Amino acid sequence: MKNIQTILGMMGLCLGLFSCELQEDVYSSITTDNFFQTAGDAETALIGAYDPMAGLYNAAVHATDFGTDQIYPRPVVARDTYTLFTYDQNYSSQKSFGRTFESPLQTWSSCYEGIERANWILEKVPGIAMDEGRKATILGEAYFLRGFYLWMLTKNFGEVVIKTSPSKSESDAYNPKSTTEEVYAQIFQDLDMAIANLPAYSTQSPEFGRPSKEAAMALSAKASLYSGNYQQALNMAEGVINSGYYRLLDDIIDVFDVSKETEARAENIWAYESVSTVPGRGTQVPSLYGPASSAGMEYGNSSYGSAFAYQSFYDSFDPSDKRRNLLATSFINRKGEVVPQELITPVTTDGVLVGKFKDPNSNGNGYAINLPIIRMADVYLIAAEAEAYLNGASSKAYGYINAVRNRAGLEDLIGGLGAEEFVDSVIQERSWEFFGEADRWYDLARTGKFLELIPQAVNSVYPVRNPQPKNRYFPIPLDEVNANPQLEQNPDWQ
């Protein structure tokens, strides 16, 4: 989102009831009645709808990786509550350590803030006299963002509140939850509108950080997979694949090379594009993964040694798998010395560094590396999984998974698998492909595999891990339940 975020850093966001200056006349309060008047207002409102992404991708979304069988945190500032599944409805530890910004509290607030802003756009922008083509694109982006935020909510909390109109009074803010089926129906309705209004991806005039028609199709494919609508998942995924606008890069390493992020957009269908030079418009995720005390120059100029990969996860890779090169069991310090694995971190002698988010020219802990949200490898694996659910381990299903495996330097997946075995292979392939990208927890949760696999992912830092069925979803923040008389806590957390 580099162009979007830069604008946000240079201007005060003028939305809703925020005080700001739009022209020579200074208003103490900009209201929705006197704001949504011009094409410029519509553009500013759209920028505002993207703004909550900064809260999501500062750390909140990626903190879910701490509960997986891939990544674990240094046991400080309440991060271990995700690893040990000891968080509560009030997220008491996160509050006491001032870490709500990397917790489900932030996910809840950012998503509903984004939905509220998208709702104002969808209500007000149709009445603005402006170029109709540009208006359609703005509305398409607003539909996309509302669908995305709602999907983020339901995959984290299950049954959530659907809001499709802005809050004009206090009573408008109080609503009951909807079933997950109703939530997904709204998500697909929004994404269908986005697909109808968004332009196809253009390499000639790309809008960095803005979704294309294909991004909406890819998100619809993934949401369809989560909801069990496998035919729609397959149709949407194949639509993206056959469009020819996106592709797998030849080298997986290039996807995470900060100097090649322009080329990487051929695979990164949608990403959080951080801006290292604009305060509040970057992400702290890369600084969590580099060596402690900013010791590894190639990782970045400020890193904390806060998160590592399990040795067992590292060992699960075929040695010829190129994706394993995005993990490291040593690093070169600022003196040019090789630091061996046993000295990577004082918390364990088998720490493994995650190297997907390096930026050697980071501005302190402001990194420019983009965080993928959905990329072409994801689309291929969605297609493989959906096809297997529909038609078993067909040649087409094999073709999709092998495209990802072959890019990683692996041979084709062994033939003759049954449908269930094939799907398990896809889930495993996803683990190797998307580690550290805030994807694994949701794969484990949607398939129920977290109850089986998480207790096996232990080490000297976390020798025992016992997730419970209630951990399928996070509890709705207790403050929200207390504030909304119509909102009920998730049943498993009551």
Side-chain angles (χ1 to χ4, degrees):
M1 259 169 253
K2 285 189 169 47
N3 57 340
I4 299 172
Q5 302 287 19
T6 300
I7 294 171
L8 282 170
M10 297 170 59
M11 61 182 288
L13 193 58
C14 303
L15 262 185
L17 302 179
F18 293 161
S19 296
C20 60
E21 183 176 326
L22 289 175
Q23 50 190 354
E24 283 187 86
D25 297 325
V26 179
Y27 296 89
S28 61
S29 179
I30 299 298
T31 70
T32 54
D33 288 332
N34 61 26
F35 173 67
F36 285 97
Q37 302 295 317
T38 68
D41 293 345
E43 300 286 358
T44 300
L46 182 60
I47 292 170
Y50 282 96
D51 191 36
M53 296 287 292
L56 284 175
Y57 286 93
N58 185 33
V61 175
H62 284 74
T64 62
D65 278 334
F66 299 157
T68 68
D69 55 349
Q70 302 172 331
I71 308 294
Y72 64 95
R74 182 162 49 92
V76 295
V77 294
R79 292 178 185 132
D80 59 346
T81 64
Y82 305 116
T83 312
L84 298 174
F85 304 96
T86 56
Y87 47 84
D88 57 40
Q89 296 182 45
N90 194 41
Y91 298 99
S92 303
S93 297
Q94 283 70 25
K95 290 180 178 180
S96 65
F97 282 101
R99 312 303 288 190
T100 59
F101 68 92
E102 58 183 30
S103 78
L105 286 160
Q106 185 67 56
T107 299
W108 181 278
S109 62
S110 288
C111 287
Y112 276 115
E113 181 181 13
I115 288 171
E116 179 71 9
R117 294 181 178 191
N119 282 339
W120 279 111
I121 292 170
L122 294 171
E123 177 168 294
K124 293 291 187 177
V125 168
I128 296 177
M130 60 181 294
D131 178 82
E132 291 300 318
R134 182 59 192 152
K135 180 190 290 187
T137 299
I138 289 174
L139 294 174
E141 291 184 45
Y143 278 117
F144 177 92
L145 288 171
R146 189 170 72 180
F148 171 76
Y149 289 132
L150 190 55
W151 181 62
M152 289 296 295
L153 285 165
T154 194
K155 72 176 185 174
N156 279 283
F157 302 102
E159 295 183 347
V160 294
V161 176
I162 297 173
K163 284 197 92 272
T164 56
S165 59
S167 296
K168 300 177 182 178
S169 66
E170 184 176 335
S171 60
D172 291 337
Y174 297 146
N175 295 276
K177 294 190 301 183
S178 296
T179 66
T180 55
E181 290 79 10
E182 292 169 330
V183 173
Y184 273 104
Q186 183 61 52
I187 291 169
F188 296 131
Q189 182 176 327
D190 284 345
L191 293 179
D192 284 346
M193 291 297 293
I195 293 167
N197 285 279
L198 290 174
Y201 177 71
S202 170
T203 57
Q204 302 302 315
S205 56
E207 289 280 349
F208 301 150
R210 304 282 182 116
S212 63
K213 180 188 298 288
E214 294 74 31
M217 294 168 65
L219 182 58
S220 182
K222 194 161 188 175
S224 297
L225 190 70
Y226 277 52
S227 68
N229 188 339
Y230 303 124
Q231 188 62 62
Q232 180 168 293
L234 181 62
N235 292 345
M236 287 292 177
E238 290 185 328
V240 177
I241 293 169
N242 295 332
S243 73
Y245 291 116
Y246 296 93
R247 63 178 178 85
L248 296 177
L249 295 192
D250 294 336
D251 190 343
I252 181 63
I253 304 301
D254 290 344
V255 177
F256 302 97
D257 186 337
V258 68
S259 70
K260 298 180 179 180
E261 62 181 20
T262 297
E263 297 93 320
R265 291 189 181 96
E267 176 162 342
N268 281 335
I269 298 174
W270 198 44
Y272 176 76
E273 301 207 12
S274 58
V275 183
S276 61
T277 56
V278 180
R281 303 303 161 196
T283 172
Q284 73 151 355
V285 170
S287 63
L288 298 178
Y289 284 110
S293 304
S294 309
M297 292 181 64
E298 66 175 306
Y299 285 85
N301 288 309
S302 181
S303 61
Y304 310 125
S306 299
F308 307 93
Y310 287 99
Q311 181 68 43
S312 57
F313 177 62
Y314 180 83
D315 293 341
S316 72
F317 283 83
D318 186 308
S320 64
D321 194 327
K322 296 177 182 178
R323 295 170 296 195
R324 196 177 72 161
N325 295 328
L326 292 164
L327 298 167
T329 54
S330 66
F331 71 94
I332 299 174
N333 67 16
R334 292 178 180 271
K335 296 179 181 179
E337 302 166 336
V338 175
V339 178
Q341 183 174 22
E342 60 266 24
L343 298 181
I344 285 178
T345 171
V347 302
T348 180
T349 58
D350 63 0
V352 177
L353 289 166
V354 176
K356 281 189 170 180
F357 308 113
K358 297 176 180 178
D359 181 3
N361 297 313
S362 67
N363 182 25
N365 65 349
Y367 285 68
I369 187 70
N370 296 335
L371 303 182
I373 299 174
I374 189 164
R375 52 189 177 91
M376 199 60 185
D378 203 352
V379 175
Y380 274 105
L381 293 178
I382 289 168
E385 186 177 347
E387 169 67 13
Y389 281 126
L390 292 168
N391 301 308
S394 66
S395 60
K396 184 163 69 169
Y398 269 98
Y400 290 138
I401 191 173
N402 286 335
V404 177
R405 288 177 59 83
N406 296 163
R407 193 267 295 269
L410 299 178
E411 295 181 351
D412 289 352
L413 180 65
I414 185 172
L417 296 178
E420 185 175 349
E421 293 175 302
F422 184 90
V423 169
D424 286 345
S425 295
V426 173
I427 301 301
Q428 179 59 63
E429 202 67 44
R430 293 185 64 85
S431 178
W432 290 323
E433 182 72 26
F434 302 116
F435 66 87
E437 297 181 50
D439 191 78
R440 178 62 170 172
W441 170 252
Y442 302 111
D443 277 343
L444 293 174
R446 71 181 174 88
T447 60
K449 292 180 179 294
F450 71 98
L451 293 171
E452 169 196 350
L453 298 181
I454 295 302
Q456 301 175 41
V458 295
N459 61 5
S460 60
V461 186
Y462 299 104
V464 178
R465 301 177 64 203
N466 288 315
Q468 303 300 310
K470 70 177 183 179
N471 297 121
R472 163 69 176 85
Y473 293 115
F474 290 106
I476 294 173
L478 186 59
D479 290 344
E480 300 293 333
V481 175
N482 290 339
N484 182 353
Q486 298 188 52
L487 182 61
E488 295 183 1
Q489 183 57 267
N490 289 335
D492 289 340
W493 284 94
Q494 290 178 357

